[in-house]
Amino acid sequence: MMSALTGRSLLAGKCRVAAAAAARCRMRPASGGSTWDREPGKNKFRETVLLPRTELPMRLSGRQLPDKELQIQRECGFSELYTWQRNRKGKEFCIHDGPPYANGDPHVGHALNKILKDITNRFQMMRGKIVHFIPGWDCHGLPIELRALAECGEQAKTLSPIEIRQKAREFAERTIERQRAAFIRWGVMADWDNCYYTFDKQYEAKQLEIFHQMFDKGYIYQDYKPVFWSPSTRTALAEAELEYNQQHVSRSVYVKFPLLKTPSKITSENASSVNALIWTTQPWTIPANQAVCYMPNAKYSLVKCLNTEELYLLGAECIDSTAAILETQFEILQTVNGSDLEGGVCTHPTIPERQSRLLPANHVTMQKGTGLVHTAPAHGMEDYSVASQHELSVDCLVDEDGIFTEAAGSDLQNKFVLNEGNETVIQMLQASKMLLKEEDVQHSYPYDWRTKKPVIIRSSKQWFIDTGKIKDQAQELLKKVEMIPRSAMNSMLAMLDRRTYWCISRQRCWGVPIPVFYHKETAEPLINKYTRDHLIKLMKEHGTDCWWTLPLDHLLTKEILIKSGGSDVSNYVKGEDILDIWFDSGISWANVLSDIDNIADVYLEGKDQLGGWFQSSLLTSVAVKKQVPFRKLIVHGFTLNETGEKMSKSLGNVVDPDIVINGGQDLNQDPPYGADILRWWVAESNVFTEVLIGQNILQAAKEDVFKLRNTLRFLLGNLYNFNPEIDGVANEQMLLVDQYMLHLLQDYGIKVTEAYKEYDFGKVIRLMLAFINRELSNFYFSIIKDRLYCEDEKHPKRRSCQTVLDEALDVITRSVAPILPHLAEEIFQHQSNTKEPLRVFHTGWIKTSSVWKKPGIVEAIEGACAIRDSFLSSIPGKNTSEYDVTIIIEPSLLLELMEQLQKDPVSSTSELNELMMASHTTLLTSVPRDLPADTDLIEGKFIINLEGGDIIEESRYVVIVQQAAKEKCPRCKKYTTDMALNPCPRCLEVIAGKWTT
């Protein structure tokens, strides 16, 4: 205790001497004629304080922000960056760009996808990888054709196929340019001069090569079977071209199929009057019925309706639910196994002369309906499978427009199946007394994704890929692929499992023609190696337009015909179908990845591509190359508005990325946020679910970026007079709190790097915000401001924390660069400690050092912070510098740690005092005896954990908080001077020499 008081007395003596010197200085003029005086409100010391200096604006408002981004893109070589990095040496990293569809303006879904890819690419490039990223577009297909024709108005009806193709190409080209300009504006780094397009001649020729390879291997065939058919566009559709309307309403019916031949196991006395009972939501398909299917391993019951006395056959599990719907009660007469129904035959409910067999089928369930399924092979995939096994007719009574044909009978002919057709069939069932119940049912139903109108299932002659021959190997190879999120794996495997074939023919003209000729009389297709080689050669030279422009005898020459065993070209016609656009895009790996073994490191697309591009790429690659074209699949969600609703122009809730960046007509309502805010929104979102966007979300993103910008601005401002090569302090010579900050900075760098590797960009942002808000702004900046502003410019303590600030500026700027490239480059442009501004993307990733790792220091600083928290909690909202703090710790490990931070018993300049932010800190081993009786003793404890738990010690401490005993220094604002208005000893020493005495 005595030594502590003595120390304090000696310090007070030194302060009195310094104060006297200050008083003498006050009476003498300084150089330049200015004087120090006692005039109230004047502080003659302000010019001696080293406040931050930087030309980086605090914020950019209005049009300044997007204009500044464009300036940065020009000055920092955004357009040359891809080529620059391709000329380096290093390991290749490839994201294969799934082609966006060239049928509309860029939207936030594009932004989500392209920016995710760009963040990944920039991160990999900064880590030394050579990025391979060639953007592409899907240019064919009906949506583009329809948009192009819509622009032509009535003239569209008179256009020839080649004129339609020309209009579609022009529309696609215009769309591509708009989308390309938007992607570049978002800061996406890519090989923009060498994009791939599915309408390029070389691409189309390669596509035909892949088609022929799959045909030669027996994967491609022609057949007559049911497919999804869009009456609104008169073409077959793939599953990936469907949207499911959850609010669709169908007219459902319960229908009797009288048993003509009763199964032998049905023993009722009235077996001759039994009716098989079915339920369907598609009454229009009943005229095409060929069978009634049952589940072989289920139970079926013969029941009597207590209202009508009629006998019905239905699934035992469905008795109660069916009786409730029919508003009756059933008496169970007999229950048999499903397999016991074999041999039964029904009479068709509207066509008495037709018979429908009872047949087993694995697709029957008891979840809905009656457990017996009406089977129309022309209008159902499972129905067709039953027909194939039992040689049933697959005749289709519906044409390309969804209209009943003459074969359906005069009552149905010329009626659209989904309205008039349904109504007429229901009337026919009522007339034959076979209808038990009709009601509307709301359920999920497939719609054409282009026209937003319902589709039907309809048999037609099409070209198919036999995915059944490919999918087993595809599934096994897919299981070895890393997928993010992992849950998407099961979805994709299940989709592949359900896919027995893939219809690849479309009945349009804007696309790659299926290269086949048909014999006029036999309809047999002519396709072989001779036609293949000739047509591929023509299409490499002329493009696929030649299929429509060249005469038939140029496409199918006499020489080829002779080699093919034919005679007269006039006996043939060329096919009119084009290839499914999913086949177009699905073979992109053969065009874009040929120089890297046809395998990309990453495919990154929306979850709709689990059944689309991911699948078509996988199936074609496995069929041709026996390999998967990607090492990793990353799947993101869809974009929705702020309330979780799907965005729609008709609803007026669409968020336009161009307006997000540049602002709308009313800048108060739609302010310009710039591209970096759009990129921040992408990065911070949980992209593995649905992603929300709106003004509130964008405004919150803007505020976060503003916090980051001003943190970086603070760092820049305090480094204006610091050159790390000359002024940097070696790690071991730094103050302990500065070493502690480097320790935290290294940990931050490691965690951020891992988050980028895991494609968890939201975690990157969470780590970044936590670090700049908690570790920097709330902690480190608050304790070092006195050191930064008030110490001598070249004082080792000041240079020590500037070394940390310089490293922090570099690490944080690099860590945010993949997400905010414009801000990162702007920060690098304003660095004053380099001869010329560097470009952040030319200088690599985060550079930390293992030397920074100082776990031993952590306990010392965090112990002090625990004591600091006790101090701060006792003076809520008060200025810490108005107090002196006394810390009492009995001899212990904690005391030894605190003594590393403060050598003297009392100090106003120690590291411990800096951490307390008090005017003076006193470190004692026992409570002073002369304390006033009413003094508050704040007790606390801190658990020290060293060597991974090998050393654990709980230490107790006491904190005493008292009003500062000294006066307020006019320069540093701490209560460390003996005389008011006079600088404290530390400040006197700093300003010595700044004025001439």
Side-chain angles (χ1 to χ4, degrees), residues 603-655:
Y603 274 35
L604 193 166
E605 302 297 332
K607 64 181 181 181
D608 54 328
Q609 301 308 321
L610 289 169
W613 187 59
F614 291 161
Q615 262 199 53
S616 61
S617 299
L618 173 67
L619 291 170
T620 53
S621 179
V622 170
V624 175
K625 292 286 186 180
K626 304 298 181 188
Q627 67 182 26
V628 178
F630 39 75
R631 296 184 177 91
K632 184 176 295 185
L633 274 184
I634 301 172
V635 187
H636 63 76
F638 296 142
T639 53
L640 304 173
N641 73 357
E642 267 181 329
T643 58
E645 299 171 318
K646 187 175 181 180
M647 284 181 270
S648 166
K649 289 184 179 179
S650 61
L651 296 177
N653 63 355
V654 172
V655 177

XYZ file of all heavy atoms in Angstrom, residues 603-655:
413
model
N -21.560 -26.072 -61.054
C -22.783 -25.592 -61.700
C -23.577 -24.914 -60.583
O -23.788 -25.504 -59.524
C -23.621 -26.746 -62.255
C -23.272 -27.244 -63.643
C -21.963 -27.266 -64.104
C -24.273 -27.718 -64.496
C -21.659 -27.745 -65.375
C -23.990 -28.200 -65.765
C -22.673 -28.222 -66.206
O -22.380 -28.698 -67.463
N -24.016 -23.689 -60.801
C -24.714 -22.914 -59.777
C -25.966 -22.297 -60.399
O -25.871 -21.375 -61.200
C -23.773 -21.835 -59.229
C -24.155 -21.086 -57.957
C -22.941 -20.328 -57.414
C -25.301 -20.094 -58.144
N -27.131 -22.817 -60.046
C -28.379 -22.319 -60.619
C -29.501 -22.410 -59.598
O -29.326 -22.914 -58.488
C -28.769 -23.119 -61.869
C -27.729 -23.120 -62.975
C -27.434 -21.756 -63.576
O -28.335 -20.895 -63.550
O -26.301 -21.537 -64.048
N -30.691 -21.941 -59.988
C -31.872 -21.990 -59.143
C -32.406 -23.409 -58.996
O -32.087 -24.304 -59.775
N -33.251 -23.602 -58.002
C -33.731 -24.951 -57.679
C -34.592 -25.548 -58.779
O -34.753 -26.770 -58.841
C -34.490 -24.933 -56.356
C -35.772 -24.101 -56.372
C -36.419 -24.137 -54.987
C -37.711 -23.347 -54.961
N -38.334 -23.363 -53.610
N -35.142 -24.711 -59.683
C -35.916 -25.261 -60.797
C -35.039 -26.083 -61.736
O -35.553 -26.930 -62.484
C -36.617 -24.144 -61.570
C -35.664 -23.057 -62.037
O -34.675 -22.787 -61.346
O -35.910 -22.472 -63.105
N -33.738 -25.850 -61.680
C -32.849 -26.583 -62.586
C -32.533 -28.000 -62.086
O -31.874 -28.767 -62.790
C -31.548 -25.806 -62.795
C -31.744 -24.417 -63.387
C -32.587 -24.439 -64.650
O -32.471 -25.332 -65.472
N -33.442 -23.434 -64.801
N -33.012 -28.363 -60.903
C -32.876 -29.754 -60.460
C -33.578 -30.694 -61.434
O -33.163 -31.825 -61.654
C -33.461 -29.927 -59.057
C -32.671 -29.292 -57.909
C -33.477 -29.305 -56.623
C -31.343 -30.005 -57.715
N -34.665 -30.203 -62.018
C -35.370 -30.986 -63.029
C -35.153 -30.465 -64.425
O -35.746 -30.975 -65.378
N -34.290 -29.438 -64.549
C -34.054 -28.823 -65.848
C -32.623 -29.001 -66.323
O -32.198 -30.103 -66.675
N -31.853 -27.905 -66.298
C -30.512 -27.908 -66.892
C -29.577 -28.871 -66.186
O -28.751 -29.521 -66.825
C -29.956 -26.480 -66.873
C -28.667 -26.327 -67.599
C -28.419 -26.587 -68.917
C -27.434 -25.860 -67.037
N -27.109 -26.304 -69.217
C -26.475 -25.860 -68.089
C -27.049 -25.429 -65.779
C -25.168 -25.451 -67.889
C -25.750 -25.018 -65.579
C -24.820 -25.028 -66.627
N -29.654 -28.958 -64.853
C -28.806 -29.920 -64.143
C -29.042 -31.332 -64.678
O -28.108 -32.092 -64.930
C -29.110 -29.911 -62.643
C -28.693 -28.653 -61.917
C -29.244 -28.337 -60.681
C -27.741 -27.792 -62.439
C -28.871 -27.190 -60.000
C -27.352 -26.638 -61.770
C -27.922 -26.341 -60.548
N -30.325 -31.666 -64.850
C -30.659 -33.021 -65.315
C -30.279 -33.243 -66.768
O -29.707 -34.283 -67.119
C -32.157 -33.283 -65.142
C -32.493 -34.052 -63.905
C -33.867 -34.681 -63.974
O -34.194 -35.392 -64.909
N -34.669 -34.411 -62.961
N -30.607 -32.278 -67.627
C -30.304 -32.474 -69.055
C -28.796 -32.538 -69.286
O -28.312 -33.302 -70.125
C -30.938 -31.360 -69.899
O -30.452 -30.087 -69.545
N -28.030 -31.763 -68.516
C -26.569 -31.818 -68.622
C -26.048 -33.168 -68.133
O -25.172 -33.778 -68.764
C -25.940 -30.694 -67.791
O -26.353 -29.422 -68.244
N -26.579 -33.609 -67.011
C -26.151 -34.882 -66.425
C -26.452 -36.042 -67.369
O -25.572 -36.872 -67.663
C -26.863 -35.099 -65.090
C -26.666 -36.460 -64.412
C -25.223 -36.631 -63.969
C -27.614 -36.596 -63.222
N -27.677 -36.103 -67.874
C -28.092 -37.247 -68.694
C -27.323 -37.305 -70.014
O -26.889 -38.382 -70.441
C -29.600 -37.174 -68.961
C -30.491 -37.422 -67.735
C -31.941 -37.080 -68.050
C -30.365 -38.858 -67.260
N -27.143 -36.165 -70.670
C -26.425 -36.170 -71.949
C -24.948 -36.493 -71.753
O -24.349 -37.221 -72.545
C -26.578 -34.820 -72.674
O -26.185 -33.751 -71.787
C -28.015 -34.586 -73.112
N -24.347 -35.971 -70.672
C -22.927 -36.227 -70.419
C -22.689 -37.688 -70.055
O -21.722 -38.303 -70.529
C -22.426 -35.310 -69.304
O -21.066 -35.555 -69.021
N -23.552 -38.246 -69.223
C -23.402 -39.645 -68.846
C -23.607 -40.544 -70.067
O -22.890 -41.530 -70.263
C -24.375 -40.015 -67.714
C -24.403 -41.522 -67.477
C -23.990 -39.298 -66.425
N -24.580 -40.183 -70.918
C -24.857 -40.991 -72.111
C -23.679 -41.001 -73.075
O -23.337 -42.044 -73.650
C -26.106 -40.460 -72.814
N -23.032 -39.843 -73.230
C -21.970 -39.720 -74.236
C -20.586 -39.953 -73.638
O -19.747 -40.629 -74.236
C -22.034 -38.323 -74.905
C -20.868 -38.129 -75.867
C -23.358 -38.155 -75.653
N -20.342 -39.400 -72.445
C -18.990 -39.425 -71.871
C -18.838 -40.360 -70.670
O -17.721 -40.553 -70.177
C -18.598 -38.002 -71.429
C -18.389 -37.018 -72.572
C -17.093 -37.296 -73.291
C -16.781 -36.236 -74.333
N -15.517 -36.513 -75.031
N -19.952 -40.895 -70.185
C -19.925 -41.747 -68.996
C -19.369 -40.993 -67.788
O -18.720 -41.574 -66.911
C -19.091 -43.021 -69.228
C -19.554 -43.848 -70.416
C -20.971 -44.363 -70.252
C -21.401 -45.218 -71.436
N -22.850 -45.580 -71.378
N -19.612 -39.674 -67.736
C -19.119 -38.877 -66.616
C -20.103 -37.755 -66.318
O -20.932 -37.386 -67.156
C -17.738 -38.286 -66.913
C -17.735 -37.251 -68.023
C -16.335 -36.713 -68.330
O -15.333 -37.371 -68.099
N -16.271 -35.511 -68.881
N -20.009 -37.227 -65.102
C -20.819 -36.085 -64.692
C -20.089 -34.815 -65.120
O -18.870 -34.715 -64.932
C -21.027 -36.097 -63.168
C -21.837 -34.894 -62.724
C -21.721 -37.386 -62.739
N -20.792 -33.814 -65.679
C -20.086 -32.614 -66.163
C -19.788 -31.585 -65.073
O -19.357 -30.478 -65.386
C -21.063 -32.042 -67.195
C -22.407 -32.437 -66.689
C -22.221 -33.785 -66.034
N -20.028 -31.917 -63.795
C -19.771 -30.965 -62.713
C -19.245 -31.709 -61.492
O -19.604 -32.860 -61.242
C -21.035 -30.194 -62.343
C -22.290 -31.029 -62.368
C -22.583 -31.943 -61.367
C -23.184 -30.898 -63.415
C -23.734 -32.711 -61.404
C -24.339 -31.671 -63.467
C -24.612 -32.582 -62.452
N -18.384 -31.035 -60.732
C -17.870 -31.610 -59.491
C -18.714 -31.191 -58.288
O -18.722 -31.853 -57.259
C -16.413 -31.181 -59.268
C -15.467 -31.709 -60.334
C -14.023 -31.363 -60.046
N -13.136 -31.931 -61.042
C -12.762 -31.298 -62.155
N -13.192 -30.052 -62.382
N -11.970 -31.873 -63.022
N -19.389 -30.066 -58.438
C -20.189 -29.557 -57.333
C -21.437 -28.886 -57.907
O -21.369 -28.189 -58.923
C -19.369 -28.547 -56.525
C -20.042 -28.011 -55.280
C -19.093 -27.080 -54.510
C -17.887 -27.819 -53.982
N -17.023 -26.961 -53.149
N -22.586 -29.117 -57.245
C -23.833 -28.466 -57.625
C -24.260 -27.541 -56.495
O -24.335 -27.971 -55.335
C -24.942 -29.492 -57.867
C -25.071 -30.130 -59.244
C -26.286 -31.042 -59.275
C -25.176 -29.097 -60.336
N -24.540 -26.284 -56.827
C -25.020 -25.326 -55.832
C -26.394 -24.840 -56.285
O -26.557 -24.399 -57.424
C -24.046 -24.156 -55.667
C -22.679 -24.703 -55.240
C -24.571 -23.159 -54.653
C -21.585 -23.689 -55.232
N -27.359 -24.939 -55.379
C -28.746 -24.683 -55.732
C -29.276 -23.529 -54.885
O -29.230 -23.583 -53.660
C -29.613 -25.938 -55.479
C -31.021 -25.725 -56.021
C -28.970 -27.175 -56.109
N -29.774 -22.481 -55.538
C -30.355 -21.369 -54.785
C -31.864 -21.304 -55.008
O -32.420 -21.943 -55.901
C -29.688 -20.036 -55.145
C -29.847 -19.611 -56.575
N -31.026 -19.090 -57.084
C -28.967 -19.607 -57.614
C -30.856 -18.792 -58.368
N -29.626 -19.107 -58.712
N -32.530 -20.521 -54.157
C -33.976 -20.397 -54.223
C -34.429 -19.347 -55.215
O -33.633 -18.787 -55.974
N -35.728 -19.062 -55.194
C -36.319 -18.060 -56.082
C -36.400 -16.716 -55.357
O -36.355 -16.642 -54.129
C -37.727 -18.476 -56.510
C -37.760 -19.738 -57.336
C -38.784 -20.660 -57.178
C -36.768 -20.009 -58.261
C -38.824 -21.817 -57.929
C -36.793 -21.164 -59.019
C -37.821 -22.070 -58.857
N -36.554 -15.639 -56.130
C -36.716 -14.310 -55.554
C -38.202 -14.000 -55.397
O -38.999 -14.238 -56.299
C -36.056 -13.235 -56.432
O -36.538 -13.349 -57.777
C -34.556 -13.383 -56.437
N -38.554 -13.462 -54.226
C -39.924 -13.061 -53.924
C -39.910 -11.634 -53.394
O -38.850 -11.109 -53.015
C -40.530 -13.988 -52.865
C -40.540 -15.495 -53.175
C -41.022 -16.266 -51.951
C -41.400 -15.804 -54.391
N -41.074 -10.990 -53.355
C -41.087 -9.645 -52.807
C -40.993 -9.686 -51.283
O -40.930 -10.755 -50.680
C -42.323 -8.870 -53.289
C -43.607 -9.337 -52.619
O -43.599 -10.282 -51.834
N -44.702 -8.691 -52.911
N -41.018 -8.530 -50.648
C -40.759 -8.451 -49.202
C -41.734 -9.260 -48.364
O -41.398 -9.742 -47.290
C -40.805 -6.985 -48.747
C -39.457 -6.329 -48.764
C -39.513 -4.896 -48.290
O -40.536 -4.229 -48.498
O -38.514 -4.437 -47.719
N -42.971 -9.412 -48.872
C -43.981 -10.139 -48.109
C -44.025 -11.616 -48.470
O -44.925 -12.340 -48.049
C -45.368 -9.511 -48.329
O -45.680 -9.539 -49.729
C -45.393 -8.077 -47.841
N -43.043 -12.063 -49.287
C -42.979 -13.473 -49.630
C -43.855 -13.871 -50.794
O -44.087 -15.063 -51.029
N -44.334 -12.881 -51.562
C -45.188 -13.177 -52.710
C -44.358 -13.233 -53.987
O -43.341 -12.540 -54.110
C -46.266 -12.105 -52.867
C -47.199 -11.991 -51.683
C -48.114 -10.778 -51.791
O -47.621 -9.702 -52.197
O -49.297 -10.902 -51.476
N -44.829 -14.025 -54.939
C -44.185 -14.082 -56.242
C -44.357 -12.736 -56.932
O -45.428 -12.128 -56.894
C -44.808 -15.203 -57.077
C -44.112 -15.459 -58.388
C -44.721 -16.658 -59.105
C -44.005 -16.925 -60.428
N -44.586 -18.090 -61.136
N -43.297 -12.257 -57.561
C -43.360 -10.957 -58.226
C -44.066 -11.082 -59.571
O -43.835 -12.022 -60.331
C -41.960 -10.373 -58.397
C -41.402 -9.814 -57.103
S -39.756 -9.094 -57.266
C -38.764 -10.526 -56.947
N -44.936 -10.106 -59.850
C -45.734 -10.130 -61.078
C -45.971 -8.714 -61.548
O -46.305 -7.831 -60.746
C -47.065 -10.828 -60.820
O -47.973 -10.606 -61.866
N -45.784 -8.483 -62.838
C -46.049 -7.152 -63.391
C -47.500 -6.760 -63.208
O -47.828 -5.598 -62.962
C -45.668 -7.120 -64.875
C -44.170 -7.154 -65.134
C -43.845 -7.019 -66.614
C -42.340 -7.024 -66.848
N -42.008 -6.914 -68.289
N -48.402 -7.741 -63.340
C -49.823 -7.437 -63.195
C -50.158 -6.989 -61.777
O -51.075 -6.191 -61.565
C -50.662 -8.668 -63.569
O -50.357 -9.764 -62.714
N -49.416 -7.494 -60.780
C -49.638 -7.089 -59.399
C -48.864 -5.820 -59.041
O -49.082 -5.236 -57.993
C -49.226 -8.221 -58.448
C -50.032 -9.518 -58.537
C -49.458 -10.575 -57.597
C -51.505 -9.271 -58.205
N -47.935 -5.434 -59.905
C -47.156 -4.224 -59.668
C -46.148 -4.340 -58.550
O -45.773 -3.335 -57.939
N -45.702 -5.566 -58.241
C -44.754 -5.740 -57.134
C -43.390 -6.215 -57.604
O -42.631 -6.801 -56.846
C -45.329 -6.719 -56.104
C -45.531 -8.121 -56.676
O -45.325 -8.349 -57.863
N -45.939 -9.056 -55.834
N -43.082 -5.964 -58.876
C -41.797 -6.377 -59.435
C -40.703 -5.419 -58.979
O -40.890 -4.194 -58.990
C -41.856 -6.422 -60.977
C -40.470 -6.664 -61.560
C -42.816 -7.510 -61.431
N -39.577 -5.961 -58.567
C -38.407 -5.151 -58.229
C -37.446 -5.215 -59.407
O -36.913 -6.268 -59.739
C -37.721 -5.663 -56.950
C -36.458 -4.855 -56.655
C -38.685 -5.611 -55.771
